[in-house]
Amino acid sequence: MSVNLLPLTPPTQTPPRVLTIAGSDSGGGAGIQADMRTFALLGVHSLVAVTAVTIQNSLGVKGFHEIPTDVIAGQIEAVATDIGIQAAKTGMLASSAIIESVAGTWRDLGLAGNTPFVVDPVCASMHGDPLLHPSALQTLRTELFPLASLVTPNLDEVRLIVGIDVVDSASQREAAKALHALGPQWALVKGGHLRGCGQSPDLLYDGTDFYEFDAPRIDTGHDHGAGDTLGAATACALAHGYSMPDAVAFGKTWVTECLRAAYPLGAGHGPVSALWRLQA
Ligand code: PXL
C-alpha cells in the first residue's frame, strides 16, 4: 500500500511541535514511547509531559508510579510558553487529580479552543491492567472531554464512559452521539474491537455529520500501542493544519501500516511498528 505521508521540514528548520501528555511504558511499545516514535517518523518534534511511569513488559503492567500534579503541569507550561505547540494528545492519565491538573493547565495557558487537543481516554492496557482509577471517569467526562478537539475511545472505553455496548453500526452511531454530547468538538468511535467483521470500521462525528473510515482488520497478535499510534499520527496531521476528517483518515492509514509491520517482543504481545517507515 502506498501511504501519503506528511510534509517534511528541511534540515535546520524547526518542524511542527506536538506534545504528548502520557505515561511511560518501560517495554517501549505503548504510551510516550509509541507517541514519540510516530512523531519522529512523521517528521514532528516531540514534546513530553510524563504523567506516570509504568513497570511493564510484553506480559503486562506490573504497577505504576504517578508523577505529582505540579510536575505534570510544570512540564506542559514549560514547553507551551517557550517552544510552542501546534497540537497535543493525552494518553494514560491515571487519576482524577492528574486529569484536573492537565485540564486546568490547558485552560490557564489559553490553549483551549485554539490548539488541536486529542484526548485518547486510556483506561486499561490490552491485558486488562487498569491505567485509570475508576473514580476518575467522571472527571474525564466533565473536565477533559469538553476541552477536546477529538476523543478517540475504543469500544471498551466507550462502554465505561457512556455505558453503550457497541455491537453494530447503529449502536456505534448512538455511542458517537453520546460521546459528542459530553462536549468534544469531534468524537471517534474506534471499531477495531468489533468482532465478526473482517474490517476495522471507525466512526467520526461532529454533532452533525458522520464520517466512516474503514481499513482491513490486521489480525496480528502484536498490536500493543495501536490506539496511541492512531492518536499520535492524527495529532501530527492536525499540527500540519489538516481538517479533522483528513487527519483521522491519515491516522488510520498510518496505524494500519504500523499494524502490518508489528513484530514479536518478549513472551507476550509485541508492539505495532512505526519503524516500517525506515524499511526499504
Ligand atoms: O495503549 C494504551 C497505553 C497507554 N499508555 C501506557 C500504556 C498503555 C497500554 O499498556 O502502558 C503507558
Side-chain angles (χ1 to χ4, degrees):
M1 181 196 250
S2 78
V3 182
N4 283 327
L5 293 165
L6 300 176
L8 293 176
T9 310
T12 76
Q13 289 187 26
T14 310
R17 281 84 67 206
V18 179
L19 169 65
T20 172
I21 306 169
S24 164
D25 170 1
S26 51
I32 286 169
Q33 288 78 5
D35 291 346
M36 288 185 69
R37 204 155 40 236
T38 279
F39 292 175
L41 288 165
L42 290 175
V44 162
H45 180 90
S46 311
L47 300 170
V48 180
V50 188
T51 57
V53 176
T54 69
I55 304 163
Q56 178 170 183
N57 60 22
S58 73
L59 297 170
V61 180
K62 319 288 174 219
F64 60 80
H65 168 74
E66 292 175 28
I67 303 299
T69 54
D70 58 328
V71 178
I72 298 170
Q75 293 172 83
I76 300 171
E77 191 185 344
V79 298
T81 54
D82 169 42
I83 297 169
I85 59 183
Q86 280 68 56
K89 78 161 284 243
T90 64
M92 174 186 182
L93 295 174
S95 74
S96 186
I98 292 178
I99 295 172
E100 276 172 15
S101 165
V102 169
T105 307
W106 193 256
R107 273 194 308 263
D108 292 348
L109 289 168
L111 296 167
N114 59 49
T115 301
F117 193 33
V118 177
V119 171
D120 184 15
V122 172
C123 294
S125 77
M126 67 184 302
H127 298 95
D129 312 302
L131 298 175
L132 181 75
H133 197 279
S135 68
L137 277 173
Q138 189 55 10
T139 321
L140 190 68
R141 292 186 196 100
T142 60
E143 299 298 315
L144 204 56
F145 270 39
L147 300 179
S149 313
L150 173 70
V151 295
T152 64
N154 63 32
L155 298 188
D156 295 326
E157 291 153 358
V158 166
R159 199 174 304 112
L160 287 170
I161 295 163
V162 291
I164 295 172
D165 225 346
V166 174
V167 291
D168 54 18
S169 62
S171 45
Q172 197 175 20
R173 283 186 175 224
E174 193 195 339
K177 287 183 181 173
L179 288 161
H180 186 264
L182 293 172
Q185 283 173 280
W186 296 80
L188 181 71
V189 180
K190 296 185 291 195
H193 294 183
L194 255 184
R195 291 288 149 228
C197 66
Q199 298 294 109
S200 165
D202 293 354
L203 184 69
L204 178 68
Y205 182 60
D206 67 349
T208 310
D209 296 311
F210 289 100
Y211 301 77
E212 288 174 22
F213 303 91
D214 223 345
R217 170 183 303 286
I218 313 290
D219 264 327
T220 166
H222 307 299
D223 57 359
H224 187 44
D228 316 55
T229 298
L230 171 76
T234 303
C236 290
L238 291 171
H240 274 281
Y242 282 35
S243 70
M244 188 60 77
D246 286 350
V248 170
F250 174 75
K252 180 88 173 158
T253 315
W254 175 258
V255 75
T256 301
E257 291 307 306
C258 295
L259 277 158
R260 281 190 219 283
Y263 50 82
L265 196 69
H269 288 276
V272 304
S273 179
L275 302 179
W276 71 267
R277 182 77 180 82
L278 299 175
Q279 283 142 16

